[in-house]
Amino acid sequence: MSNDPLHGKTLQFIVEQLVSFYGFDTLAELINIKCFKENASVKSSLTFLRKTDWARKKVEDLYVRTLPKINKN
């Protein structure tokens, strides 16, 4: 079994988890990228994040940091 918290998680799953936990407004404050600020949707965010490695890394890092809080709920 992998110790990587991202193992087996799709980008869509990660974004959906973060959106349901934080909402787009807070996500935009935590990660300053346009796809979370303007006309925010999971679909548009995925399109941007799949093309933009640095932004995807920030989202994945936030997910890993948020995981203990998500798991408490």
Side-chain angles (χ1 to χ4, degrees):
M1 179 155 158
S2 173
N3 287 334
D4 180 0
L6 298 173
H7 182 76
K9 305 281 192 305
T10 64
L11 184 58
Q12 180 172 350
F13 176 83
I14 291 168
V15 170
E16 287 172 347
Q17 290 280 293
L18 289 173
V19 169
S20 71
F21 189 78
Y22 290 113
F24 278 112
D25 289 344
T26 304
L27 258 184
E29 290 174 25
L30 293 169
I31 304 174
N32 186 12
I33 50 179
K34 192 174 173 182
C35 69
F36 291 154
K37 293 178 176 181
E38 297 177 16
N39 302 319
S41 73
V42 170
K43 187 171 188 241
S44 66
S45 299
L46 288 173
T47 301
F48 174 76
L49 293 169
R50 287 186 177 125
K51 291 187 289 194
T52 316
D53 287 342
W54 64 264
R56 180 182 183 142
K57 174 104 177 72
K58 286 183 181 234
V59 168
E60 290 173 344
D61 290 347
L62 177 62
Y63 176 74
V64 171
R65 290 196 315 271
T66 305
L67 210 47
K69 298 177 201 164
I70 292 173
N71 289 337
K72 280 185 190 169
N73 292 346

